[in-house]
Amino acid sequence: MSARRSLSWSTALSDMRNDRVQVPAGFLGARGRIEGLVRFGKVALVKVDGSFDRAGIMTAAATAAKAHQLTYGSTWAAAMSVALKAAWQAARTARTRAAH
């Protein structure tokens, strides 16, 4: 067996880009649920001073994770992973909108 190992950088970078592009199952539903919670005033993702409301983000993520778990039958960890990604994305978007 060879002591050297070859690595294709173009293939490795392409794989990394593809991993970033893939949207997890249920992500858009979780994002929609979180945006609905914000719209109806049940949760705030951004404070008045422009900082993130971490308690609000966690509350929204937990609510979306429960719905995700019921819909997809996934584990709690997988559901929270999807929901937290969606909640943080919604929070970053909300902070950007509030700044302008």
Side-chain angles (χ1 to χ4, degrees), residues 43-44 52-60:
V43 182
F52 291 118
D53 184 358
R54 293 181 182 193
I57 291 170
M58 193 62 178
T59 302

Side-chain angles (χ1 to χ4, degrees), residues 12-64:
L13 290 175
S14 175
D15 289 343
M16 288 183 347
R17 273 188 225 105
N18 289 339
D19 287 343
R20 274 187 254 135
V21 173
Q22 291 176 353
V23 177
F27 178 80
L28 296 177
R31 173 90 192 253
R33 184 173 302 278
I34 291 165
E35 288 175 351
L37 290 170
V38 171
R39 190 174 306 122
F40 293 121
K42 300 200 183 238
V43 182
L45 302 178
V46 179
K47 295 178 186 175
V48 177
D49 64 355
S51 62
F52 291 118
D53 184 358
R54 293 181 182 193
I57 291 170
M58 193 62 178
T59 302
T63 303

